[in-house]
Amino acid sequence: MRTSKEIIEKTEKYGAHNYHSKEVVFATASGVHVTDPEGNTYFDMLSAYSALNFGHRHPEIVAAAKEQLDAVTLTSRAFHNNLLCDFYESLCSLTGKNMILPMNTGAEAVETALKTARRWGAFVKGVEDGKQEIIVCNNNFHGRTISIISMSSDPTCRRGFGPFTPGFINIDYGSIDQLKAAITPNTVAFLMEPIQGEAGIIIPPEGFMKKSSEICKENNILLIADEVQTGFARTGKMFASEWEDVVPDIYVLGKALGGGIMPVSAVAADSDILGVYEPGSHGSTFGGNPLACAVSIKAMELLVRDNYPKMAFEKGEYFMSHLREIKNPDIKEIRGRGLLIGMEFHVPAAPYVKALIKNGVLAKETHEMTIRFAPPITISYEEMDTALAGIRRALTKES
Ligand SMILES: *Cc1c(COP(=O)(O)O)cnc(C)c1O
């Protein structure tokens, strides 16, 4: 049998080095547990950046996928399939919007939202085509395409990739004054993450999203919430926008929408916005495929049936309160909502991540000083206790 070391070496030999993966190989996984080729088991506290809200291989989602494998998996949008309408209906019901555009990855959904906002600006608002402006936030993370990195303020994501897509104006996350100042007659949208995940679990100042939403309304600007990471119960609400009672004009969704099995993403909005498309103006070969629909429909059913938002909220409170009991002067702050939790250190977090992995807890630093804890929402209280014991050992140098 191949060892982890052999697998990692082969991976590094043939693959482009656009990731520096932690030295743990997933060979099998179930629920919150991951097992490597040597048989060591770990708690997955990253959940593929919240794509695994249902845990690894949720039995009902796997069953839905297996059943669909025996029916039809791919049609392309050249033809209809018998499940896309139900996927639309479920997602409309969850978001309260009346129109959906399906894609695959989060980045594609973000791109779709940008295109939608630009078209809406040109066709509905009356901005001259080519002059549309979209306001975005510093330290955002929206994906990796050239237009998306054109909005990024992170030099690591941008270096060597120019020329960039014009039409984006950056403001500081949380600054209402800068938002107001950035608005021009050509502004069509304000794009934001309700909580900045990749930036280090940054929760904006209270009222920022609410106030942004009001300003957008007053100025006939679309509010686009990138809920790819925060959506589908992760933060203790179905969508993190609800923390400020905000209903964005456009939801950008992905990650957990695929039930941990398939890349499934979508934009949800009302038809006065998503109605700007005509046949041929946008699309995706795999977007809305029946296998993705089957998996996603089951995932959305579970979210409601098992009340994932409540689960995430209560388990998050429990988890955070126990993290706060850990005594280590290097810990600066523990913050989060639901099961999207950041532990910020006064020092670089990488050595602590290493200690966590040694103690059977998989987590990863984001932006050097912060460790994200975001286990599957299905984690049990017993599993949380065991994981917390490992975290305590790793962070108090008992190990
Ligand atoms: C992960 C993420 C994306 C990009 O999703 P991909 O599926 O990796 O393309 C976009 N926005 C946010 C907030 C994310 O966390």
Side-chain angles (χ1 to χ4, degrees):
M1 202 196 61
R2 289 187 303 178
T3 63
S4 290
K5 190 165 171 287
E6 287 165 343
I7 292 165
I8 291 170
E9 277 170 9
K10 186 172 177 182
T11 306
E12 293 300 315
K13 180 179 169 197
Y14 290 110
H17 295 164
N18 57 326
Y19 278 95
H20 184 61
S21 309
K22 300 289 172 195
E23 304 220 319
V24 176
V25 176
F26 290 24
T28 59
S30 175
V32 299
H33 294 290
V34 169
T35 306
D36 72 10
E38 286 75 22
N40 303 303
T41 68
Y42 302 88
F43 282 98
D44 186 350
M45 290 284 148
L46 181 64
S47 307
Y49 302 92
S50 297
L52 288 161
N53 282 1
F54 308 90
H56 292 271
R57 298 189 304 111
H58 189 291
E60 289 175 83
I61 305 178
V62 168
K66 283 186 172 166
E67 194 185 321
Q68 193 57 38
L69 282 172
D70 288 327
V72 57
T73 55
L74 186 60
T75 56
S76 86
R77 295 292 302 282
F79 303 97
H80 287 279
N81 76 61
N82 62 342
L83 288 181
L84 184 55
C85 57
D86 302 319
F87 168 79
Y88 287 161
E89 186 180 47
S90 297
L91 193 51
C92 281
S93 158
L94 276 190
T95 57
K97 300 296 186 188
N98 64 23
M99 203 172 254
I100 306 295
L101 199 160
M103 299 295 281
N104 311 282
T105 66
E108 288 173 321
V110 171
E111 288 275 348
T112 300
L114 299 175
K115 287 172 84 172
T116 305
R118 283 182 171 190
R119 255 210 174 184
W120 173 87
F123 291 5
V124 180
K125 183 167 176 169
V127 175
E128 187 188 333
D129 192 14
K131 295 269 162 61
Q132 300 96 321
E133 292 170 5
I134 295 174
I135 302 172
V136 302
C137 296
N138 287 326
N139 299 318
N140 69 65
F141 182 83
H142 298 295
R144 299 296 194 169
T145 67
I146 284 180
S147 286
I148 290 172
I149 62 167
S150 302
M151 308 187 280
S152 177
S153 57
D154 179 354
T156 314
C157 302
R158 294 171 57 100
R159 206 163 55 89
F161 295 134
F164 295 105
T165 304
F168 302 115
I169 292 107
N170 284 68
I171 64 163
D172 286 339
Y173 188 60
S175 173
I176 287 295
D177 290 342
Q178 289 185 28
L179 173 62
K180 284 182 179 159
I183 293 170
T184 76
N186 294 328
T187 307
V188 296
F190 174 45
L191 167 64
M192 60 139 17
E193 299 156 86
I195 295 174
Q196 286 188 328
E198 296 318 296
I201 321 297
I202 308 297
I203 301 171
E206 204 188 321
F208 174 64
M209 202 174 177
K210 183 94 202 161
K211 191 84 194 124
S212 304
S213 157
E214 288 163 14
I215 291 168
C216 285
K217 275 198 182 68
E218 285 160 20
N219 292 277
N220 197 22
I221 292 165
L222 301 178
L223 177 64
I224 307 173
D226 181 347
E227 294 245 20
V228 170
Q229 186 161 160
T230 54
F232 302 115
R234 172 53 59 188
T235 71
K237 305 270 190 192
M238 191 59 79
F239 300 104
S241 301
E242 290 169 37
W243 278 102
E244 297 218 345
D245 294 316
V246 166
V247 179
D249 298 296
I250 298 179
Y251 285 102
V252 185
L253 303 165
K255 292 202 169 115
L257 185 58
I261 295 188
M262 298 276 296
V264 184
S265 71
V267 161
D270 281 337
S271 53
D272 56 337
I273 296 165
L274 261 181
V276 296
Y277 291 100
E278 75 283 351
S281 57
H282 189 48
S284 160
T285 303
F286 286 88
N289 72 77
L291 183 57
C293 289
V295 159
S296 188
I297 289 165
K298 179 54 75 178
M300 287 190 271
E301 181 193 323
L302 298 180
L303 280 169
V304 175
R305 187 195 73 191
D306 298 342
N307 203 346
Y308 273 69
K310 182 163 180 272
M311 270 204 270
F313 180 76
E314 290 174 359
K315 290 172 185 178
E317 294 292 299
Y318 181 84
F319 203 81
M320 263 189 283
S321 72
H322 282 82
L323 287 179
R324 289 201 173 98
E325 284 166 8
I326 296 172
K327 299 266 175 293
N328 178 334
D330 285 346
I331 299 174
K332 185 179 166 195
E333 188 188 32
I334 290 153
R335 57 175 176 263
R337 277 186 174 146
L339 281 172
L340 186 58
I341 299 165
M343 179 184 267
E344 187 176 340
F345 291 81
H346 294 289
V347 296
Y352 284 117
V353 169
K354 221 170 172 176
L356 283 166
I357 293 174
K358 251 174 79 184
N359 283 280
V361 176
L362 302 182
K364 197 174 178 300
E365 70 275 22
T366 137
H367 274 241
E368 202 182 2
M369 312 294 253
T370 303
I371 296 178
R372 165 176 26 205
F373 292 104
I377 296 169
T378 50
I379 191 170
S380 71
Y381 283 85
E382 292 74 23
E383 288 166 339
M384 274 196 283
D385 287 341
T386 311
L388 281 161
I391 294 169
R392 210 170 291 122
R393 279 197 303 278
L395 299 186
T396 54
K397 300 181 174 98
E398 286 167 33
S399 52

